[in-house]
Amino acid sequence: MSTGGGRKAILAALTANAGIAIAKFIGAAITGSASMLAEAVHSVADTGNQGLLLLGQRRAAKEADELHPFGYARSRYFYSFIVALVLFTLGSCYAIYEGIHKIQHPQELNSPIVAIVILTIAIALEIYSFSTAVSESRPLKGEASWWRFIRNSRSPELPVVLLEDTGALVGLLFALAGVSMTMLTDDPIWDGVGTLAIGGLLGVIAVVLIVEMQSLLIGEGATPEENRQIWAHVVDNTRIDRVIHLRTQYLGPDELLVAAKVGVVPDLDIAAIAQAIDDAESRVRAAVPAARVIYLEPDLYRSTDAATQ
C-alpha cells in the first residue's frame, strides 16, 4: 500500500483542473456552449474533489485518542465518499439538466472555434494529469487489470483520481464532438446532446465510486492473497499447528487489523506460547506490512472449532 496516498497524482489533477476550469468558463462565456459550461462545472467539481482528498489525508494523520483508539485513517474513505457524491450531484445532475434544457431549447453558438481550441488544450492538460495518476498507480496495480485495481485497492485516492481523469478525458471528447457536430451541421442541438452524454458518463463514474467507497467505509478485509500470506505465516508447524479462525479488516488504507484464534500444540508452557505468538506476529508483519494491528488468541484445537471457521 502506498503511504503517500497518490499525493503527487492528486496535486497534478488539482493543478490541471483548476487551470482547465478557468479556461472552460471563459470559453463558455464567449461561445454560449452548454457542453463547454457543463465541462467547466465538471472541472470545478474535480478541483474541489482533489481538495477534499488532500483534506482527508490530513485528517487521517491525526493521532489516535480515547474516542478513536484505532486512529482516524478511515477519514480518507469518508472524504473519498464525499468526492463521489459531489461528482454525482454537482457534475452529473447539472450536466444532465443542462443537456435536456439545451436539447429542448437549442441556442446558436458564438465563435465555436474558440471552444474547440480550449477543449483541445484541456485534453492535453488532462492527459498530463491522467498519465501522472497511471504512473503513480502502476507499482500498486502489479499484474492485475486496471478494473481489478480499482475494485480491490484499499487506498482510495488513486482509484478516485484515475476514474475522475478518465471521465474528464472522455467528457472532453464528448464536448468536442458536440461542438464539432454543431459546426458541421449548423444544428445547436448537438451541443445539448454532448452535454447530456457528459452527464450520463459522470453519473456512471460517480455510482461506481459511491459503491466502492461505501464498501471501504463499512470495512473491507484483507485481499485473498493477503489472507493466504497471513494464514501461511501464522503457522510454524512446531508450536502453532493451525489457524482455527481468522478475521481481518482494514482500519485505513495502510493499516490492517488481524484477529485470529490459533491452535497450539499441547504441553507448551506460558512462556513458550507467548514466544510463539510473538514470532507469528513478526512473520505476518514481514509478509504483509499493512498488518500493523495483530491479535492472536492461543487455544487447543477442537473439532467444534472447525465448524465455526
Side-chain angles (χ1 to χ4, degrees):
M1 298 292 173
S2 172
T3 56
R7 189 176 182 86
K8 181 179 178 181
I10 296 172
L11 291 173
L14 177 66
T15 303
N17 283 316
I20 291 170
I22 294 171
K24 287 176 181 174
F25 273 120
I26 293 173
I30 294 173
T31 64
S33 168
S35 57
M36 177 71 79
L37 183 59
E39 273 298 303
V41 173
H42 176 196
S43 293
V44 169
D46 282 353
T47 304
N49 287 344
Q50 270 81 63
L52 286 171
L53 293 177
L54 292 173
L55 177 61
Q57 290 188 344
R58 182 176 178 180
R59 294 279 297 174
K62 289 179 61 178
E63 294 292 332
D65 52 34
E66 185 177 354
L67 185 60
H68 298 93
F70 288 109
Y72 290 81
R74 282 192 180 174
S75 293
R76 289 166 64 180
Y77 296 151
F78 171 75
Y79 283 97
S80 296
F81 183 76
I82 297 300
V83 163
L85 292 179
V86 170
L87 190 64
F88 182 79
T89 55
L90 188 57
S92 175
C93 293
Y94 175 81
I96 290 173
Y97 164 79
E98 190 68 16
I100 293 173
H101 178 72
K102 290 299 183 182
I103 290 173
Q104 293 175 337
H105 308 285
Q107 296 179 356
E108 296 293 331
L109 299 184
N110 300 316
S111 304
I113 191 66
V114 173
I116 290 178
V117 170
I118 291 175
L119 288 171
T120 303
I121 295 172
I123 288 172
L125 290 173
E126 283 292 356
I127 289 174
Y128 158 71
S129 175
F130 180 72
S131 63
T132 302
V134 168
S135 177
E136 288 277 286
S137 303
R138 199 178 297 279
L140 299 177
K141 182 181 80 73
E143 298 299 322
S145 66
W146 285 106
W147 176 245
R148 185 169 294 276
F149 168 70
I150 290 170
R151 290 298 308 272
N152 292 343
S153 176
R154 302 304 191 263
S155 182
E157 292 88 358
L158 285 173
V160 168
V161 174
L162 278 171
L163 284 175
E164 277 192 348
D165 285 351
T166 300
L169 274 174
V170 178
L172 285 167
L173 293 176
F174 284 160
L176 187 62
V179 174
S180 298
M181 287 298 294
T182 297
M183 289 181 61
L184 292 173
T185 63
D186 199 28
D187 187 351
I189 197 173
W190 286 105
D191 185 44
V193 171
T195 307
L196 191 60
I198 292 169
L201 171 70
L202 295 182
V204 170
I205 291 176
V207 168
V208 171
L209 284 176
I210 287 171
V211 170
E212 291 304 312
M213 295 308 119
Q214 178 256 5
S215 179
L216 289 169
L217 270 175
I218 291 174
E220 291 188 358
T223 64
E225 176 58 27
E226 287 170 335
N227 264 326
R228 284 191 291 269
Q229 291 292 329
I230 293 168
W231 203 281
H233 287 83
V234 165
V235 175
D236 62 6
N237 291 317
T238 56
R239 297 164 297 177
I240 299 176
D241 58 4
R242 60 174 51 83
V243 176
I244 299 172
H245 63 72
L246 172 68
R247 300 290 183 270
T248 62
Q249 187 173 99
Y250 267 94
L251 303 174
D254 308 307
E255 189 171 25
L256 177 64
L257 167 67
V258 177
K261 178 177 285 191
V262 298
V264 297
V265 300
D267 303 325
L268 288 181
D269 60 27
I270 293 177
I273 292 174
Q275 187 61 53
I277 294 299
D278 290 344
D279 291 345
E281 290 178 355
S282 297
R283 292 193 301 271
V284 170
R285 288 194 176 97
V288 184
R292 299 182 184 179
V293 183
I294 303 176
Y295 299 106
L296 300 182
E297 178 187 352
D299 199 356
L300 294 177
Y301 180 77
R302 294 178 294 272
S303 59
T304 54
D305 292 323
T308 63
Q309 289 189 41

